[in-house]
Amino acid sequence: MITVVERNESIVESEQAPPGIDVTKPHPARRYDYWLGGKDNFEADRESAEMVAEAFPSIQFAALENRAFLRRAVTYLAQQAGVRQFLDLGAGLPTAGNVHEIAQDIAPESRIVYVDNDPIVLIHARTLLNSSPQGRTAYLEADVREPGRILTHPDLLATLDLTEPVALMLVAVMHFITDEHRPYEIVRELCEALPSGSYLVMTHATSDHLTAEDLAESDEANRRSGIPFRLRSTAEFSRFFDGLDVVPPGIGSIMSWRPESWKAHPRPEAVSMLGAVARVP
C-alpha cells in the first residue's frame, strides 16, 4: 500500500488506496497492523494509533503479546483439545502465524473461516486462503455485530460443519463493540449456535490497572482516535463466559495464560489485556 520513492537521498511516501477503500477514516484492522509493524495502513490509521499510544505507551507491546496469546490458544485447541474447526471473527490483516497456519501445522485437515469488515482485508485474503490440501479456509466480509448473517452465510456453511465442535475466536475484537451494540448478546448468540464441545477464545483490553485519572485520559484518547472503544474490567469481561466452562488457568492477563516459561513477564498487568478460553458445555 505504501510506495517508497528515493529522491535526492530523501524518502518520499505516497499512498495509493485500493478502489472502495476510505483511507481518511482509521480502521481497527489497519491500526493493529501498524502496531504489529505491518505496512498495510494509512496516515489516518497511524495518527489514530499514535493518539492511543499517548495514553497507553505499551500498546505495541500489548498487540504483540495479544498475537502470542492467539498462537498459544490455537496450539492448545488443535493439539490438546482436538479442535479441527475455527471461526476467527475480526481476523484482521494477514500476518505471521495466522490461525490456519498454526492449526494446520498440527492437524492439516483443520478448517478455518475468517471474518472481517475492512474491505482491505479482502484484498489480502489470498494469504488467508492458502490452506493445506487436506483442510480448507474461507473468508467472509461481514461485521461481528451481525452474528445471524455470519452464521448462515453459504461460504461458512460450506466450510464448517456446525454439528461438530468449533473454536470461536474473538481476539481483540469485543472492546470495539460499545454497550449500545449489545456485546454480551452478540457473544451469547454466537456461542448458542455452536455444538457442545466448542470453545470460545477471547481477549479484551481492560481498565483494571488504571487510576480514575488514567482511565479518563484513555477514554479521551480513544474518542480522539476516531474508533469507538470500550475498556472493561475483569468482572465485565468475565460476563462473556457465563454458562461456559473456563479452561485453566482461567480468566486473567493474556501473558499469564499458559505462557512459555522463558517468556514469563514479571508484570503481566503491563499489557492491560485480559484473555481466556472456555468450553461450551
Side-chain angles (χ1 to χ4, degrees), residues 5-232:
V5 182
E6 189 168 353
R7 191 176 294 171
N8 296 327
E9 297 185 351
S10 66
I11 299 298
V12 178
E13 291 186 348
S14 62
E15 296 183 332
Q16 183 62 47
I21 305 296
D22 182 0
V23 301
T24 65
K25 297 179 181 179
H27 190 280
R30 301 195 301 266
R31 190 172 71 176
Y32 191 56
D33 175 73
Y34 174 68
W35 283 325
L36 290 175
K39 65 183 187 303
D40 296 302
N41 49 77
F42 299 90
E43 185 63 27
D45 307 307
R46 296 189 286 273
E47 288 179 356
S48 174
E50 293 301 332
M51 287 179 190
V52 174
E54 287 178 10
F56 187 15
S58 60
I59 185 64
Q60 184 178 28
F61 178 63
L64 292 169
E65 287 300 322
N66 186 69
R67 200 71 192 177
F69 170 91
L70 179 144
R71 183 186 68 249
R72 298 195 304 274
V74 173
T75 299
Y76 163 78
L77 291 169
Q79 202 168 63
Q80 299 184 44
V83 175
R84 297 295 179 263
Q85 301 189 111
F86 296 81
L87 175 56
D88 187 2
L89 301 186
L93 286 151
T95 185
N98 297 300
V99 170
H100 75 282
E101 294 169 330
I102 302 165
Q104 291 181 349
D105 186 55
I106 296 167
E109 69 275 20
S110 298
R111 293 175 166 237
I112 297 88
V113 171
Y114 294 102
V115 180
D116 206 283
N117 67 350
D118 186 356
I120 202 170
V121 180
L122 176 62
I123 295 172
H124 297 273
R126 62 183 179 278
T127 303
L128 299 176
L129 299 177
N130 186 25
S131 172
S132 67
Q134 304 96 315
R136 186 169 180 178
T137 61
Y139 175 79
L140 316 180
E141 186 176 340
D143 195 300
V144 69
R145 290 169 293 188
E146 301 175 310
R149 178 170 176 262
I150 294 169
L151 293 166
T152 58
H153 196 289
D155 291 344
L156 181 144
L157 298 176
T159 306
L160 303 181
D161 179 356
L162 295 184
T163 67
E164 296 292 330
V166 175
L168 171 62
M169 313 288 297
L170 287 167
V171 176
V173 173
M174 295 309 294
H175 44 226
F176 296 112
I177 307 301
T178 49
D179 294 344
E180 65 267 27
H181 293 295
R182 308 176 302 108
Y184 298 105
E185 287 83 351
I186 288 171
V187 174
R188 187 177 306 115
E189 183 175 346
L190 288 164
C191 287
E192 287 178 350
L194 304 180
S196 174
S198 295
Y199 286 83
L200 170 64
V201 179
M202 280 189 68
T203 66
H204 197 295
T206 181
S207 57
D208 281 356
H209 308 292
L210 299 178
T211 65
E213 183 180 348
D214 289 339
L215 181 57
E217 184 180 355
S218 176
D219 288 342
E220 174 60 19
N222 285 320
R223 186 192 64 78
R224 289 187 291 110
S225 75
I227 295 176
F229 198 87
R230 170 70 155 84
L231 292 168
R232 292 186 172 94

Side-chain angles (χ1 to χ4, degrees), residues 203-265:
T203 66
H204 197 295
T206 181
S207 57
D208 281 356
H209 308 292
L210 299 178
T211 65
E213 183 180 348
D214 289 339
L215 181 57
E217 184 180 355
S218 176
D219 288 342
E220 174 60 19
N222 285 320
R223 186 192 64 78
R224 289 187 291 110
S225 75
I227 295 176
F229 198 87
R230 170 70 155 84
L231 292 168
R232 292 186 172 94
S233 66
T234 295
E236 290 173 313
F237 178 66
S238 298
R239 284 182 55 197
F240 287 110
F241 298 91
D242 286 352
L244 306 181
D245 299 328
V246 179
V247 173
I251 296 169
S253 168
I254 56 174
M255 298 185 70
S256 301
W257 199 88
R258 300 173 181 255
E260 294 94 346
S261 58
W262 59 272
K263 282 193 68 178
H265 194 280

